[in-house]
């Protein structure tokens, strides 16, 4: 059957995959949730917006005769990844996740690893510090429980309303970031503590490398649990699956 792929995107890896699929002239669509005003331009047709839960995604797969579903979303995008597992089984379309391993501490790192956002908030109790929150816009409200700090917030789009943190500076900037930029930013704002998600990959790692070189403590939030599914960590492995793996899968395996 002629492949017709749906790639759930929003990451550097999804962009790498989109370039490879376009270079192979494969029929593929890249999907964004519509979280940011101007998502990166892609060499594939794009669709923007939710599908309407599991049923909506399963209907999209059927109605558009999708032959392969590739979940290349961010490790913290747990809801869409859960939906992809269920919808691929429902529609009988093979699913493959393109993900990236979590970052591991190296010599010189001063990490406090916490299980989730609320544990990160709890870890911020204590006297006022200058803290960089490099966790995007969505989790910011939780940090209002620790208003004593000066926060440096980095977001992709100008927020419509001021973040609920009394003492903050705002940086509107999308990645991927470089170590030099992030080290300069941490120094300029006299940051003593960094809060980040354990996203893995290369697009967000610069701040951790910068924090290591500056001897800063990092509160690192572990990624949420995801259902079992077939996972690879490279564009090459996705292409190998498309060339061989997917066609030999039984329906039972699909969306495992
Ligand atoms: C809309 C689509 C590419 C993809 C680039 C990667 C790298 C740069 C680093 C910091 C951390 C953060 C955030 C981040 C990074 C890449 C990647 C990555 C982190 C875009 C994009 C979309 C989003 C959504 C956005 C979230 C936010 C998270 C900012 C495109 C730019 C903090 C995650 O305002 C909002 O609502 C923003 C929401 C989800 C997390 C949050 O909770 O706020 N990403 N980011 C996608 C969609 O609509 O489907 O424009 O490219 C993509 C990228 N963001 O092709 O180059 O792959 O990780 N994204 C985190 O890691 O903690 C920034 O500041 O150091
Ligand atoms: P999420 O919480 O897992 O998903 C919430 C809902 O958003 C989903 O149920 C789905 O709506 C919709 N959705 C999410 N990703 C989608 C996509 N790629 N295409 C179409 N609909 C999508 O998602 P999130 O964490 O907000 O992430 C949203 C997007 O930002 C994803 O593309 C993700 O890769 C990217 N991103 C997220 C983070 C992060 O820290 N969470 C970091 C970098 C990039 P319906 O139920 O209506 O289908």
């Amino acid at each position: 059957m002629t492949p017709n792929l749906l790639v759930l995107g929003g990451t550097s890896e999804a962009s790498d995959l989109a370039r490879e699929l376009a270079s192979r002239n494969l029929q593929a669509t890249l999907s964004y949730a519509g979280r940011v005003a101007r998502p990166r331009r892609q060499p594939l047709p794009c669709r923007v917006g939710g599908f309407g839960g599991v049923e909506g995604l399963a209907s999209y797969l059927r109605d558009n005769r999708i032959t392969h579903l590739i979940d290349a979303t961010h490790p913290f995008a747990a809801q869409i990844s859960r939906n992809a597992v269920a919808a691929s089984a429902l529609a009988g379309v093979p699913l493959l996740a393109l993900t990236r391993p979590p970052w591991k501490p190296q010599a010189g790192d001063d990490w406090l690893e916490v299980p989730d956002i609320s544990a990160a908030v709890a870890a911020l109790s204590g006297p006022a510090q200058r803290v960089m929150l490099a966790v995007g816009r969505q989790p910011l409200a939780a940090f209002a429980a620790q208003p004593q700090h000066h926060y440096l917030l980095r977001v992709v789009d100008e927020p419509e309303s001021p973040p609920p943190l009394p003492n903050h500076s705002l940086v509107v900037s999308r990645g991927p970031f470089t170590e030099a930029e992030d080290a300069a930013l941490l120094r300029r704002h006299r940051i003593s503590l960094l809060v980040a998600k354990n996203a893995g990959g290369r697009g967000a790692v610069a701040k951790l490398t910068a924090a290591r070189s500056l001897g800063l403590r990092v509160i690192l939030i572990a990624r949420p649990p995801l259902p079992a599914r077939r996972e690879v960590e490279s564009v090459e492995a996705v292409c190998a699956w498309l060339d061989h793996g997917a066609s030999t899968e039984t329906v039972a395996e699909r969306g495992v």
Side-chain angles (χ1 to χ4, degrees):
M1 87 204 120
T2 315
N4 177 16
L5 316 179
L6 175 64
V7 179
L8 303 175
T11 59
S12 306
E13 289 74 10
S15 297
D16 296 344
L17 178 62
R19 273 193 297 279
E20 179 62 26
L21 297 176
S23 71
R24 292 175 170 229
N25 293 317
L26 283 170
Q27 187 181 354
T29 303
L30 187 80
S31 177
Y32 281 118
R35 281 276 180 288
V36 298
R38 286 170 305 286
R40 171 190 290 275
R41 292 180 53 73
Q42 295 289 347
L44 291 177
C46 288
R47 65 166 296 291
V48 180
F51 294 96
V54 173
E55 289 299 335
L57 179 51
S59 304
Y60 181 94
L61 295 173
R62 288 189 207 97
D63 301 349
N64 292 276
R65 302 191 192 299
I66 299 296
T67 57
H68 303 75
L69 176 57
I70 299 168
D71 178 356
T73 60
H74 190 274
F76 280 73
Q79 186 60 57
I80 187 66
S81 292
R82 279 194 292 271
N83 290 1
V85 169
S88 72
L90 211 52
V93 172
L95 166 69
L96 180 71
L98 171 58
T99 184
R100 55 242 187 145
W103 295 311
K104 295 267 187 281
Q106 300 176 20
D109 282 335
D110 175 12
W111 288 2
L112 172 63
E113 297 187 72
V114 295
D116 51 32
I117 297 269
S118 55
V121 173
L124 285 174
S125 52
Q129 295 188 70
R130 295 180 65 84
V131 182
M132 177 173 183
L133 290 186
V135 294
R137 177 182 59 88
Q138 299 178 87
L140 288 184
F143 291 89
Q146 304 284 4
Q148 69 274 27
H149 302 298
H150 176 85
Y151 288 106
L152 172 62
L153 311 177
R154 178 152 68 184
V155 292
V156 176
D157 292 328
E158 195 71 44
E160 296 91 30
S161 53
L165 298 167
N167 188 356
H168 72 268
S169 314
L170 195 66
V171 170
V172 179
S173 165
R174 86 168 55 209
F177 305 101
T178 68
E179 186 192 339
E181 288 165 355
D182 279 2
L185 185 69
L186 290 165
R187 269 200 298 270
R188 187 161 61 249
H189 290 268
R190 294 179 283 110
I191 299 301
S192 59
L193 176 61
L194 172 69
V195 181
K197 293 174 182 172
N198 194 335
R202 64 180 195 282
V205 72
K207 58 186 178 280
L208 298 184
T209 315
R212 181 185 310 130
S213 64
L214 296 172
L216 302 186
R217 160 152 279 209
V218 177
I219 295 178
L220 200 64
I221 301 161
R223 44 185 70 178
L226 291 177
R229 73 237 167 115
R230 184 184 300 274
E231 291 183 357
V232 294
E233 294 180 356
S234 71
V235 168
E236 296 68 29
V238 173
C239 294
W241 179 72
L242 292 173
D243 294 344
H244 311 294
S247 50
T248 55
E249 271 185 2
T250 60
V251 175
E253 271 185 281
R254 287 180 178 169
V256 165

